[in-house]
Amino acid sequence: MGHHLQGIPRSPRVHPPYALQTGDEGVSLFGNLLKLKDARSDPDQKWLRGLVRYGEMATARVGSKTIVFLNSKRVVGVVSHGHSRSLLMTQEKWAEPRRIMHTLLSGTAVKQYGEWLETESAQMLAEYLLKPALWYRHHYRYANSVVHRIALGERLAKSTKDLEDLQSLVTVFVTTTGSSVVDWFPALARLPRWLQPWQAHWEKLDRWNYDVYRSWWALVLEQIRRGTAPPSFARDTLLHGDTKYTGSDDDAMYVAMQLIEAGSDTTREALHIMIMAALEHPAVFARELLRWRPIFVITPDHVASQDIEFEGYRFPEVTGFVINAVVVGDECDSPETFGPDRWMDGHETDIAHGLWQFRGGRRICVGYRLAQRSMFINIARLVQCFDFKPNGPYNSRILSLEATDEPFPVKVSVRSQAYAELICAEAERLGVLEDAKISRDEL
Ligand code: HEM
């Protein structure tokens, strides 16, 4: 018979490997909530790493919710791919946008959009050559432009203000997800409105989010309706008659715009980490970057839609599950060592094999194949053409993600005149050299 998980277990320790965690002695319900909040910003992720002492699965009460942290590759693997796969399913609402976005994972899409990656990457290299001190801004332009083109069809031609608005939106989204009291005490959402003083704040954010999205989307929608839009995910999949998308016009806008958000900030950050790795370790490979310095320490929990039996344990419906990505990433020999060759296991061409940075199962990152290709092209080219040296003191665990600040001091220099010529010739051939030269205010 399995154990029943009911509220906070009386005893903090059950038999290994599945111990149930209550939070440290004397810590209230808010204790874990605060720890979870701190865990997001702690560069050493002490609290998350500490959860392994409770076993492969650690249960914490966070607010009124029960969250199970999956602390080993083994349980994450079983849970994501095995018989209990429904564990990572979520509400019905998610199914329709996911159906539409799923085409992005297909080989055809990756091939079709691959050309755009090449063009944008050629421009990024030319920008690196022309404005090496602004290396970090080139990452954002590249990442945003690629996914903007995939989603909406146009190369990025936005003002600094537009880009800053979108960047602020992403930052607010990432830092506020899971920070509302209602996230952790869902029953509060059923109170009368006057008893929910936080509502006005979230509604204001929501409105701002809507307006920023609308300012990017309206033009594209108009072009699609008039039949003048260039090829894109929005034109050829999302709003295409054959797809039979059942969402409203606003729903479609959220699908397209979230793609831009999800695809640009991650790629930008991965490229920053690659530069950090280039300073710390001369040999670099994509997958090890993400294990070494995970981009997403905690992602929102996935909630069980029905009771689940798993290896003798019974988890009631509504239990939330979170992959403890830091701990799972550390499950290898000498985790602190940057060791790309640990991935030479016959699965080198599949970035998601054995790496949980894109999570897994049905909700696996929809852009991971594009991200893999995008990172491969750019890392290979940057390492081939440029040298990166520290340009002052830095902490390799801290990465500022402000769009306008250099995240850590780097001196970038092209490796030879021959490479400089090659970069210019390639950018010219693809028609992006002039764009790279344009000295916008923000560059
Ligand atoms: C290094 C790059 C990237 C990393 C580390 C990454 C990681 C992730 C993670 C951890 C999730 C959450 C999965 C879950 O809920 O279990 C996610 C979701 C998502 N990602 Fe990525 N991602 C990356 C690049 C991209 C790119 C390039 C795109 C777009 C082309 C993209 C689009 C999305 C979307 C739309 C979702 C939501 C999927 C859904 O709701 O079903 N991501 N990503």
Side-chain angles (χ1 to χ4, degrees):
M1 264 312 279
H3 301 255
H4 292 246
L5 199 69
Q6 287 165 343
I8 306 176
R10 292 275 169 255
S11 156
R13 285 199 166 268
V14 184
H15 305 293
Y18 305 127
L20 302 176
Q21 197 246 349
T22 60
D24 295 338
E25 296 297 328
V27 172
S28 69
L29 288 189
F30 287 99
N32 282 330
L33 193 53
L34 295 175
K35 284 181 177 170
L36 202 58
K37 191 167 171 286
D38 290 347
R40 289 171 191 267
S41 50
D42 173 11
D44 296 321
Q45 287 110 24
K46 284 194 213 69
W47 187 72
L48 288 169
R49 287 180 202 279
L51 292 179
V52 269
R53 71 180 184 276
Y54 300 102
E56 283 185 283
M57 294 195 283
T59 307
R61 277 292 270 196
V62 184
S64 66
K65 286 168 89 174
T66 301
I67 304 285
V68 176
F69 287 85
L70 305 174
N71 287 334
S72 76
K73 283 185 192 162
R74 197 188 73 82
V75 293
V76 167
V78 178
V79 158
S80 302
H81 298 306
H83 63 279
S84 305
R85 210 168 150 166
S86 61
L87 227 129
L88 295 189
M89 277 186 204
T90 83
Q91 309 87 334
E92 282 159 21
K93 267 167 92 184
W94 162 82
E96 179 62 355
R98 179 68 190 209
R99 178 179 74 84
I100 302 298
M101 291 190 298
H102 217 75
T103 50
L104 288 171
L105 275 176
S106 77
T108 327
V110 175
K111 208 165 152 222
Q112 181 190 341
Y113 299 129
E115 250 173 60
W116 295 345
L117 301 185
E118 301 256 350
T119 311
E120 296 296 344
S121 161
Q123 178 168 335
M124 184 177 85
L125 258 75
E127 287 166 345
Y128 249 88
L129 186 68
L130 300 168
K131 299 157 205 160
L134 296 172
W135 58 276
Y136 52 99
R137 298 205 188 176
H138 308 326
H139 293 172
Y140 187 58
R141 193 216 57 82
Y142 163 81
N144 195 279
S145 192
V146 161
V147 72
H148 187 265
R149 193 163 179 186
I150 293 173
L152 307 181
E154 300 280 0
R155 298 199 66 215
L156 184 68
K158 290 282 174 189
S159 69
T160 310
K161 166 90 174 59
D162 288 334
L163 280 177
E164 272 173 13
D165 279 349
L166 194 71
Q167 181 60 53
S168 316
L169 250 187
V170 179
T171 310
V172 169
F173 174 71
V174 172
T175 51
T176 57
T177 304
S179 69
S180 156
V181 277
V182 179
D183 288 333
W184 302 110
F185 296 93
L188 293 179
R190 293 199 291 271
L191 290 174
R193 211 200 123 94
W194 61 273
L195 281 175
Q196 296 189 55
W198 53 85
Q199 275 273 18
H201 167 73
W202 295 109
E203 276 168 15
K204 209 168 136 211
L205 272 184
D206 195 41
R207 186 74 228 169
W208 170 59
N209 188 140
Y210 182 89
D211 290 344
V212 172
Y213 274 9
R214 199 81 217 166
S215 68
W216 289 59
W217 175 246
L219 200 73
V220 179
L221 191 62
E222 186 58 29
Q223 284 179 335
I224 294 176
R225 291 202 171 130
R226 278 212 229 109
T228 55
S232 70
F233 167 78
R235 189 195 82 172
D236 304 323
T237 307
L238 187 58
L239 299 180
H240 198 280
D242 292 352
T243 319
K244 300 194 170 35
Y245 176 60
T246 58
S248 66
D249 174 32
D250 280 351
D251 293 339
M253 171 179 86
Y254 276 90
V255 171
M257 292 305 297
Q258 276 174 8
L259 210 58
I260 297 182
E261 271 182 15
S264 43
D265 215 48
T266 44
T267 308
R268 168 179 84 114
E269 204 174 322
L271 289 171
H272 284 7
I273 299 171
M274 176 252 151
I275 305 297
M276 174 71 84
L279 302 190
E280 295 270 302
H281 310 277
V284 283
F285 283 91
R287 254 199 285 172
E288 181 67 352
L289 295 179
L290 297 175
R291 188 203 66 79
W292 183 60
R293 295 286 181 263
I295 291 184
F296 293 114
V297 175
I298 306 175
T299 37
D301 55 312
H302 289 177
V303 180
S305 52
Q306 58 191 54
D307 290 359
I308 287 164
E309 283 278 346
F310 175 65
E311 298 195 349
Y313 280 79
R314 215 168 78 105
F315 299 101
E317 189 184 344
V318 310
T319 305
F321 291 84
V322 171
I323 296 177
N324 195 347
V326 178
V327 166
V328 171
D330 278 359
E331 205 182 309
C332 56
D333 293 339
S334 324
E336 261 311 300
T337 308
F338 186 85
D341 48 354
R342 66 173 93 247
W343 299 101
M344 307 302 270
D345 57 359
H347 298 282
E348 294 83 355
T349 54
D350 180 4
I351 199 171
H353 184 91
L355 177 77
W356 295 99
Q357 271 303 297
F358 298 94
R359 304 305 188 262
R362 290 169 156 253
R363 290 220 49 169
I364 193 165
C365 167
V366 96
Y368 86 85
R369 288 188 202 280
L370 281 164
Q372 171 173 359
R373 184 151 178 176
S374 185
M375 282 164 65
F376 179 81
I377 291 173
N378 290 300
I379 291 171
R381 290 178 172 182
L382 287 172
V383 170
Q384 181 188 11
C385 302
F386 293 95
D387 281 324
F388 302 92
K389 297 261 155 37
N391 205 13
Y394 66 91
N395 176 342
S396 84
R397 287 193 169 277
I398 297 176
L399 198 70
S400 156
L401 290 177
E402 291 295 325
T404 46
D405 300 341
E406 189 176 31
F408 40 90
V410 184
K411 170 122 184 51
V412 177
S413 47
V414 68
R415 297 182 83 177
S416 73
Q417 185 56 25
Y419 281 125
E421 283 164 18
L422 182 68
I423 291 170
C424 289
E426 186 63 5
E428 179 123 54
R429 185 179 72 80
L430 293 166
V432 290
L433 186 59
E434 287 311 308
D435 290 335
K437 282 185 190 158
I438 292 171
S439 189
R440 290 204 201 105
D441 295 349
E442 78 269 25
L443 291 183

